[in-house]
Amino acid sequence: MNGVSGVQSSNPYQAPNTAANEPAGAAATQNSAVNSQDEAAVFEKSAAAAEKVTYKRDNAAVAEIHAKDKAYIQNLQNVVTMMLEQLNTNQLASSGSKFLQPIDPSKVDSYWDLLIDNGDGTFSWHPDISPEMQDSLIAKAKEDIGENGYYGVKQTSQRILDFAKAVTGGDPSKIGLMREYIQKGFDEVEKMFGGKLPEISYQTLKAVMDGLDEWAAGTK
């Protein structure tokens, strides 16, 4: 019996004492979990630091937008100046508009400077403007507000969006503020014109607001 007992006690396949080993195993598991948590915490901190972005006003982009707009207005002034210089100097006197001042080409900034307010919501061409010149200006205005025109919905809304991104440095947290400023400016202009603007103005506003929505969606 003693021999059998000796064989049993020396059995190399004897089951381990799980009760005795449990504390060590639990400690190892706990340490592993702690290490994993530490590693995760360090990773998240590094990721957050890497994603931090500093937004700064893009003065170069703002200057470029202003320069392009100024160049386009200057081109319009040049066109009008050329047309006015071709007019008969006696046309103003013969047109019966002796109470109106002749148009000074150097002071023409837009189409509005070539019109006379009739006081009833309508406008007439200044008497200096010949029928031929009227046709030319109407064609140019239609081109400007056309689908691909400088003052059309597409280009005008894009300029406004580009300007909003430039002055905010592309900071998405300022989108709401830009939306408020744009709407306020639009409302003020609408009030200046008696509460109603041409349909193209409302189409442009919608395009701008849609562009702000796309900007916001793209940053999420």
Tab-separated table of all heavy atoms in Angstrom, residues 166-209:
chain	number	residue	atom	x	y	z
A	166	ALA	N	-12.841	81.644	-45.652
A	166	ALA	CA	-11.573	82.366	-45.533
A	166	ALA	C	-11.519	83.178	-44.244
A	166	ALA	O	-10.513	83.163	-43.525
A	166	ALA	CB	-11.367	83.272	-46.743
A	167	VAL	N	-12.597	83.900	-43.924
A	167	VAL	CA	-12.569	84.759	-42.737
A	167	VAL	C	-12.613	83.945	-41.445
A	167	VAL	O	-12.178	84.427	-40.391
A	167	VAL	CB	-13.738	85.783	-42.744
A	167	VAL	CG1	-13.604	86.729	-43.917
A	167	VAL	CG2	-15.079	85.089	-42.761
A	168	THR	N	-13.153	82.712	-41.501
A	168	THR	CA	-13.189	81.865	-40.305
A	168	THR	C	-12.023	80.888	-40.260
A	168	THR	O	-11.866	80.153	-39.288
A	168	THR	CB	-14.487	81.046	-40.256
A	168	THR	OG1	-14.548	80.179	-41.399
A	168	THR	CG2	-15.705	81.951	-40.242
A	169	GLY	N	-11.216	80.877	-41.305
A	169	GLY	CA	-10.112	79.927	-41.364
A	169	GLY	C	-10.599	78.501	-41.538
A	169	GLY	O	-9.878	77.552	-41.275
A	170	GLY	N	-11.865	78.352	-41.988
A	170	GLY	CA	-12.422	77.017	-42.173
A	170	GLY	C	-12.916	76.374	-40.879
A	170	GLY	O	-13.125	75.164	-40.837
A	171	ASP	N	-13.113	77.189	-39.839
A	171	ASP	CA	-13.549	76.667	-38.541
A	171	ASP	C	-15.029	76.269	-38.614
A	171	ASP	O	-15.904	77.146	-38.724
A	171	ASP	CB	-13.356	77.744	-37.470
A	171	ASP	CG	-13.659	77.233	-36.069
A	171	ASP	OD1	-14.181	76.101	-35.954
A	171	ASP	OD2	-13.374	77.959	-35.104
A	172	PRO	N	-15.349	74.981	-38.533
A	172	PRO	CA	-16.750	74.547	-38.638
A	172	PRO	C	-17.626	75.036	-37.497
A	172	PRO	O	-18.844	75.098	-37.638
A	172	PRO	CB	-16.647	73.020	-38.652
A	172	PRO	CG	-15.347	72.712	-37.995
A	172	PRO	CD	-14.428	73.838	-38.363
A	173	SER	N	-17.023	75.400	-36.372
A	173	SER	CA	-17.819	75.884	-35.244
A	173	SER	C	-18.399	77.268	-35.517
A	173	SER	O	-19.269	77.742	-34.780
A	173	SER	CB	-16.970	75.937	-33.967
A	173	SER	OG	-15.979	76.950	-34.045
A	174	LYS	N	-17.925	77.932	-36.572
A	174	LYS	CA	-18.397	79.275	-36.914
A	174	LYS	C	-19.460	79.245	-38.014
A	174	LYS	O	-19.909	80.302	-38.462
A	174	LYS	CB	-17.212	80.139	-37.381
A	174	LYS	CG	-16.126	80.346	-36.349
A	174	LYS	CD	-16.642	81.132	-35.162
A	174	LYS	CE	-15.521	81.579	-34.235
A	174	LYS	NZ	-14.799	80.455	-33.634
A	175	ILE	N	-19.849	78.064	-38.466
A	175	ILE	CA	-20.835	77.966	-39.553
A	175	ILE	C	-22.154	78.614	-39.152
A	175	ILE	O	-22.764	79.349	-39.932
A	175	ILE	CB	-21.058	76.491	-39.949
A	175	ILE	CG1	-19.776	75.914	-40.562
A	175	ILE	CG2	-22.207	76.373	-40.944
A	175	ILE	CD1	-19.863	74.440	-40.922
A	176	GLY	N	-22.603	78.362	-37.937
A	176	GLY	CA	-23.853	78.953	-37.463
A	176	GLY	C	-23.787	80.473	-37.457
A	176	GLY	O	-24.752	81.152	-37.827
A	177	LEU	N	-22.647	81.014	-37.039
A	177	LEU	CA	-22.461	82.461	-37.005
A	177	LEU	C	-22.482	83.043	-38.415
A	177	LEU	O	-23.106	84.088	-38.663
A	177	LEU	CB	-21.127	82.792	-36.324
A	177	LEU	CG	-20.848	84.266	-36.041
A	177	LEU	CD1	-21.886	84.838	-35.094
A	177	LEU	CD2	-19.451	84.424	-35.452
A	178	MET	N	-21.818	82.374	-39.361
A	178	MET	CA	-21.825	82.824	-40.747
A	178	MET	C	-23.242	82.807	-41.321
A	178	MET	O	-23.649	83.713	-42.052
A	178	MET	CB	-20.914	81.930	-41.597
A	178	MET	CG	-19.430	82.057	-41.317
A	178	MET	SD	-18.760	83.702	-41.739
A	178	MET	CE	-18.738	84.484	-40.116
A	179	ARG	N	-23.995	81.787	-40.975
A	179	ARG	CA	-25.377	81.680	-41.449
A	179	ARG	C	-26.204	82.875	-40.959
A	179	ARG	O	-26.994	83.452	-41.718
A	179	ARG	CB	-25.995	80.372	-40.952
A	179	ARG	CG	-27.320	80.018	-41.599
A	179	ARG	CD	-27.938	78.800	-40.913
A	179	ARG	NE	-27.039	77.659	-40.943
A	179	ARG	CZ	-26.923	76.831	-41.981
A	179	ARG	NH1	-27.665	77.019	-43.047
A	179	ARG	NH2	-26.074	75.813	-41.939
A	180	GLU	N	-26.012	83.242	-39.688
A	180	GLU	CA	-26.745	84.379	-39.120
A	180	GLU	C	-26.367	85.675	-39.825
A	180	GLU	O	-27.239	86.491	-40.156
A	180	GLU	CB	-26.449	84.495	-37.625
A	180	GLU	CG	-27.014	83.360	-36.790
A	180	GLU	CD	-26.652	83.499	-35.321
A	180	GLU	OE1	-26.209	84.595	-34.925
A	180	GLU	OE2	-26.800	82.510	-34.573
A	181	TYR	N	-25.063	85.884	-40.051
A	181	TYR	CA	-24.598	87.114	-40.698
A	181	TYR	C	-25.137	87.230	-42.125
A	181	TYR	O	-25.572	88.297	-42.566
A	181	TYR	CB	-23.071	87.150	-40.728
A	181	TYR	CG	-22.426	87.505	-39.408
A	181	TYR	CD1	-21.133	87.098	-39.101
A	181	TYR	CD2	-23.109	88.248	-38.454
A	181	TYR	CE1	-20.530	87.429	-37.890
A	181	TYR	CE2	-22.529	88.581	-37.241
A	181	TYR	CZ	-21.236	88.171	-36.965
A	181	TYR	OH	-20.655	88.504	-35.775
A	182	ILE	N	-25.097	86.126	-42.865
A	182	ILE	CA	-25.562	86.133	-44.252
A	182	ILE	C	-27.056	86.433	-44.323
A	182	ILE	O	-27.511	87.238	-45.140
A	182	ILE	CB	-25.232	84.795	-44.934
A	182	ILE	CG1	-23.712	84.659	-45.104
A	182	ILE	CG2	-25.924	84.680	-46.293
A	182	ILE	CD1	-23.257	83.271	-45.494
A	183	GLN	N	-27.833	85.786	-43.465
A	183	GLN	CA	-29.279	86.015	-43.451
A	183	GLN	C	-29.590	87.457	-43.059
A	183	GLN	O	-30.482	88.100	-43.648
A	183	GLN	CB	-29.947	85.048	-42.478
A	183	GLN	CG	-31.475	85.135	-42.473
A	183	GLN	CD	-32.086	84.719	-43.799
A	183	GLN	OE1	-31.902	83.593	-44.250
A	183	GLN	NE2	-32.815	85.637	-44.435
A	184	LYS	N	-28.859	87.982	-42.080
A	184	LYS	CA	-29.082	89.359	-41.635
A	184	LYS	C	-28.776	90.338	-42.761
A	184	LYS	O	-29.539	91.289	-43.000
A	184	LYS	CB	-28.204	89.670	-40.423
A	184	LYS	CG	-28.407	91.073	-39.866
A	184	LYS	CD	-27.524	91.319	-38.644
A	184	LYS	CE	-27.721	92.729	-38.100
A	184	LYS	NZ	-26.853	92.988	-36.917
A	185	GLY	N	-27.674	90.122	-43.462
A	185	GLY	CA	-27.317	91.001	-44.579
A	185	GLY	C	-28.367	90.953	-45.679
A	185	GLY	O	-28.746	91.986	-46.244
A	186	PHE	N	-28.845	89.743	-45.977
A	186	PHE	CA	-29.866	89.585	-47.010
A	186	PHE	C	-31.141	90.323	-46.616
A	186	PHE	O	-31.748	91.029	-47.439
A	186	PHE	CB	-30.153	88.100	-47.230
A	186	PHE	CG	-31.096	87.824	-48.362
A	186	PHE	CD1	-30.618	87.628	-49.649
A	186	PHE	CD2	-32.469	87.755	-48.149
A	186	PHE	CE1	-31.490	87.388	-50.698
A	186	PHE	CE2	-33.341	87.508	-49.179
A	186	PHE	CZ	-32.844	87.325	-50.468
A	187	ASP	N	-31.556	90.167	-45.359
A	187	ASP	CA	-32.780	90.811	-44.883
A	187	ASP	C	-32.670	92.333	-44.970
A	187	ASP	O	-33.655	93.014	-45.301
A	187	ASP	CB	-33.075	90.394	-43.440
A	187	ASP	CG	-33.450	88.923	-43.330
A	187	ASP	OD1	-33.793	88.313	-44.369
A	187	ASP	OD2	-33.388	88.381	-42.201
A	188	GLU	N	-31.488	92.870	-44.673
A	188	GLU	CA	-31.299	94.318	-44.719
A	188	GLU	C	-31.391	94.837	-46.157
A	188	GLU	O	-31.984	95.883	-46.411
A	188	GLU	CB	-29.957	94.689	-44.096
A	188	GLU	CG	-29.918	94.500	-42.582
A	188	GLU	CD	-28.575	94.849	-41.985
A	188	GLU	OE1	-27.642	95.159	-42.768
A	188	GLU	OE2	-28.442	94.816	-40.747
A	189	VAL	N	-30.802	94.101	-47.092
A	189	VAL	CA	-30.881	94.504	-48.501
A	189	VAL	C	-32.321	94.399	-48.994
A	189	VAL	O	-32.808	95.262	-49.733
A	189	VAL	CB	-29.951	93.627	-49.368
A	189	VAL	CG1	-30.168	93.931	-50.850
A	189	VAL	CG2	-28.494	93.867	-48.988
A	190	GLU	N	-33.003	93.348	-48.595
A	190	GLU	CA	-34.404	93.161	-48.981
A	190	GLU	C	-35.247	94.342	-48.505
A	190	GLU	O	-36.111	94.848	-49.241
A	190	GLU	CB	-34.923	91.860	-48.375
A	190	GLU	CG	-36.306	91.445	-48.861
A	190	GLU	CD	-36.748	90.141	-48.228
A	190	GLU	OE1	-36.619	89.997	-46.983
A	190	GLU	OE2	-37.210	89.253	-48.972
A	191	LYS	N	-34.988	94.800	-47.279
A	191	LYS	CA	-35.713	95.940	-46.734
A	191	LYS	C	-35.407	97.213	-47.521
A	191	LYS	O	-36.302	98.037	-47.769
A	191	LYS	CB	-35.337	96.127	-45.256
A	191	LYS	CG	-36.167	97.169	-44.527
A	191	LYS	CD	-35.690	97.339	-43.087
A	191	LYS	CE	-35.861	96.048	-42.302
A	191	LYS	NZ	-35.453	96.228	-40.871
A	192	MET	N	-34.157	97.372	-47.928
A	192	MET	CA	-33.764	98.554	-48.710
A	192	MET	C	-34.528	98.636	-50.028
A	192	MET	O	-34.811	99.725	-50.535
A	192	MET	CB	-32.256	98.515	-48.995
A	192	MET	CG	-31.379	98.772	-47.795
A	192	MET	SD	-29.628	98.426	-48.161
A	192	MET	CE	-29.367	99.488	-49.580
A	193	PHE	N	-34.858	97.467	-50.587
A	193	PHE	CA	-35.550	97.437	-51.875
A	193	PHE	C	-37.051	97.228	-51.707
A	193	PHE	O	-37.710	96.690	-52.604
A	193	PHE	CB	-34.949	96.340	-52.754
A	193	PHE	CG	-33.640	96.736	-53.372
A	193	PHE	CD1	-32.455	96.564	-52.672
A	193	PHE	CD2	-33.586	97.289	-54.641
A	193	PHE	CE1	-31.239	96.936	-53.228
A	193	PHE	CE2	-32.386	97.664	-55.203
A	193	PHE	CZ	-31.205	97.492	-54.505
A	194	GLY	N	-37.588	97.644	-50.568
A	194	GLY	CA	-39.029	97.612	-50.383
A	194	GLY	C	-39.606	96.277	-49.987
A	194	GLY	O	-40.814	96.046	-50.120
A	195	GLY	N	-38.771	95.345	-49.510
A	195	GLY	CA	-39.257	94.061	-49.031
A	195	GLY	C	-39.329	92.977	-50.073
A	195	GLY	O	-39.796	91.864	-49.793
A	196	LYS	N	-38.865	93.258	-51.271
A	196	LYS	CA	-38.912	92.251	-52.331
A	196	LYS	C	-37.706	92.390	-53.243
A	196	LYS	O	-37.386	93.480	-53.713
A	196	LYS	CB	-40.197	92.424	-53.155
A	196	LYS	CG	-40.388	91.374	-54.240
A	196	LYS	CD	-40.635	89.993	-53.656
A	196	LYS	CE	-40.933	88.975	-54.752
A	196	LYS	NZ	-41.113	87.604	-54.207
A	197	LEU	N	-37.034	91.250	-53.485
A	197	LEU	CA	-35.876	91.223	-54.370
A	197	LEU	C	-36.180	90.329	-55.573
A	197	LEU	O	-37.121	89.538	-55.546
A	197	LEU	CB	-34.651	90.687	-53.619
A	197	LEU	CG	-34.082	91.579	-52.514
A	197	LEU	CD1	-33.003	90.832	-51.743
A	197	LEU	CD2	-33.517	92.867	-53.101
A	198	PRO	N	-35.385	90.448	-56.633
A	198	PRO	CA	-35.577	89.551	-57.785
A	198	PRO	C	-35.420	88.090	-57.377
A	198	PRO	O	-34.713	87.773	-56.408
A	198	PRO	CB	-34.454	89.981	-58.740
A	198	PRO	CG	-34.141	91.392	-58.360
A	198	PRO	CD	-34.337	91.451	-56.877
A	199	GLU	N	-36.059	87.200	-58.098
A	199	GLU	CA	-36.055	85.779	-57.765
A	199	GLU	C	-34.637	85.217	-57.685
A	199	GLU	O	-34.338	84.341	-56.869
A	199	GLU	CB	-36.866	85.003	-58.799
A	199	GLU	CG	-36.974	83.511	-58.520
A	199	GLU	CD	-37.607	83.197	-57.178
A	199	GLU	OE1	-38.443	84.004	-56.702
A	199	GLU	OE2	-37.271	82.146	-56.589
A	200	ILE	N	-33.738	85.728	-58.524
A	200	ILE	CA	-32.369	85.213	-58.539
A	200	ILE	C	-31.684	85.431	-57.190
A	200	ILE	O	-30.812	84.652	-56.786
A	200	ILE	CB	-31.553	85.879	-59.678
A	200	ILE	CG1	-30.211	85.148	-59.832
A	200	ILE	CG2	-31.354	87.362	-59.429
A	200	ILE	CD1	-29.403	85.642	-61.033
A	201	SER	N	-32.093	86.476	-56.467
A	201	SER	CA	-31.503	86.749	-55.155
A	201	SER	C	-31.875	85.654	-54.162
A	201	SER	O	-31.039	85.205	-53.364
A	201	SER	CB	-31.983	88.106	-54.640
A	201	SER	OG	-31.619	89.147	-55.530
A	202	TYR	N	-33.121	85.213	-54.199
A	202	TYR	CA	-33.573	84.150	-53.294
A	202	TYR	C	-32.947	82.802	-53.671
A	202	TYR	O	-32.637	81.993	-52.795
A	202	TYR	CB	-35.098	84.064	-53.318
A	202	TYR	CG	-35.768	85.330	-52.821
A	202	TYR	CD1	-36.238	86.279	-53.726
A	202	TYR	CD2	-35.899	85.581	-51.461
A	202	TYR	CE1	-36.832	87.456	-53.278
A	202	TYR	CE2	-36.492	86.751	-51.000
A	202	TYR	CZ	-36.953	87.691	-51.917
A	202	TYR	OH	-37.527	88.860	-51.466
A	203	GLN	N	-32.756	82.598	-54.959
A	203	GLN	CA	-32.088	81.373	-55.407
A	203	GLN	C	-30.641	81.347	-54.920
A	203	GLN	O	-30.134	80.303	-54.515
A	203	GLN	CB	-32.133	81.290	-56.934
A	203	GLN	CG	-33.530	81.110	-57.505
A	203	GLN	CD	-33.545	81.202	-59.024
A	203	GLN	OE1	-32.505	81.377	-59.676
A	203	GLN	NE2	-34.735	81.092	-59.605
A	204	THR	N	-30.002	82.515	-54.951
A	204	THR	CA	-28.609	82.607	-54.495
A	204	THR	C	-28.515	82.361	-52.997
A	204	THR	O	-27.621	81.647	-52.528
A	204	THR	CB	-28.019	83.990	-54.836
A	204	THR	OG1	-28.110	84.210	-56.248
A	204	THR	CG2	-26.561	84.082	-54.408
A	205	LEU	N	-29.441	82.948	-52.228
A	205	LEU	CA	-29.448	82.738	-50.776
A	205	LEU	C	-29.612	81.257	-50.448
A	205	LEU	O	-28.910	80.725	-49.582
A	205	LEU	CB	-30.576	83.544	-50.133
A	205	LEU	CG	-30.742	83.349	-48.619
A	205	LEU	CD1	-29.513	83.840	-47.866
A	205	LEU	CD2	-31.994	84.080	-48.119
A	206	LYS	N	-30.525	80.594	-51.143
A	206	LYS	CA	-30.739	79.161	-50.905
A	206	LYS	C	-29.479	78.365	-51.224
A	206	LYS	O	-29.105	77.443	-50.490
A	206	LYS	CB	-31.909	78.643	-51.745
A	206	LYS	CG	-32.222	77.163	-51.490
A	206	LYS	CD	-33.379	76.677	-52.328
A	206	LYS	CE	-33.745	75.236	-51.978
A	206	LYS	NZ	-32.603	74.302	-52.051
A	207	ALA	N	-28.805	78.719	-52.322
A	207	ALA	CA	-27.573	78.018	-52.697
A	207	ALA	C	-26.497	78.200	-51.633
A	207	ALA	O	-25.743	77.268	-51.330
A	207	ALA	CB	-27.075	78.525	-54.053
A	208	VAL	N	-26.427	79.396	-51.049
A	208	VAL	CA	-25.445	79.657	-49.988
A	208	VAL	C	-25.757	78.816	-48.755
A	208	VAL	O	-24.868	78.179	-48.180
A	208	VAL	CB	-25.434	81.151	-49.617
A	208	VAL	CG1	-24.554	81.386	-48.385
A	208	VAL	CG2	-24.908	81.988	-50.771
A	209	MET	N	-27.023	78.806	-48.343
A	209	MET	CA	-27.417	78.044	-47.156
A	209	MET	C	-27.211	76.550	-47.373
A	209	MET	O	-26.773	75.828	-46.460
A	209	MET	CB	-28.877	78.335	-46.799
A	209	MET	CG	-29.129	79.775	-46.359
A	209	MET	SD	-28.045	80.274	-44.979
A	209	MET	CE	-28.632	81.944	-44.654
